[in-house]
């Protein structure tokens, strides 16, 4: 592009692509939680991630610049994915316990 060498940003570009994949996974998991009619359960993971995203990426940006921004974004997305995954697991556990009949063998 325009005769500019972007080779030094190759790793950052791959990390941004990975963050986009994690973000897509978050959207998919949130859609499943919404279909299960438990979207209110996603509020806490989003708030925790918001607090994390205010502190950690900001510190990384001050320390590492652009690399810190990319790593901070990826870390925030991974945290949200893990927290939503835990919440999804809890929802499934609760639903499976509610659906058991007292006469189940």
């Amino acid at each position: 592009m325009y005769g500019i060498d972007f080779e030094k940003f190759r790793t950052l570009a791959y990390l941004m692509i990975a963050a986009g994949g994690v973000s897509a996974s978050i959207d998919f998991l949130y859609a499943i939680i919404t279909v299960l009619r438990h979207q209110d359960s996603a509020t806490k993971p989003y708030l925790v991630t918001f607090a994390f995203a205010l502190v950690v990426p900001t510190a990384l940006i001050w320390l590492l610049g652009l690399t810190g921004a990319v790593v901070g974004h990826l870390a925030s997305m991974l945290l949200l994915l893990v927290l939503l995954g835990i919440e999804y697991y809890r929802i499934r556990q609760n639903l499976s316990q509610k659906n058991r009949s007292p006469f189940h063998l």
Side-chain angles (χ1 to χ4, degrees):
M1 289 177 56
Y2 307 107
I4 300 173
D5 184 23
F6 289 104
E7 183 63 32
K8 64 182 179 178
F9 299 112
R10 178 186 297 255
T11 303
L12 294 179
Y14 287 147
L15 288 176
M16 289 189 290
I17 291 169
V22 173
S23 182
S25 300
I26 289 167
D27 288 342
F28 181 70
L29 191 54
Y30 182 73
I32 293 172
I33 291 171
T34 301
V35 167
L36 293 173
R37 296 178 180 253
H38 287 274
Q39 60 270 25
D40 54 328
S41 299
T43 302
K44 187 176 178 182
Y46 274 98
L47 288 175
V48 170
T49 304
F50 175 69
F52 177 87
L54 288 176
V55 177
V56 174
T58 303
L60 288 173
I61 290 168
W62 278 98
L63 292 172
L64 304 172
L66 180 60
T67 303
V70 173
V71 170
H73 175 64
L74 180 59
S76 297
M77 294 297 100
L78 286 171
L79 174 65
L80 183 56
L81 180 63
V82 168
L83 292 176
L84 283 177
I86 291 169
E87 199 60 39
Y88 171 72
Y89 179 76
R90 287 182 186 162
I91 291 167
R92 293 296 297 199
Q93 291 293 93
N94 289 338
L95 289 176
S96 67
Q97 288 175 357
K98 286 181 183 179
N99 290 333
R100 288 187 181 157
S101 69
F103 304 108
H104 188 268
L105 296 177

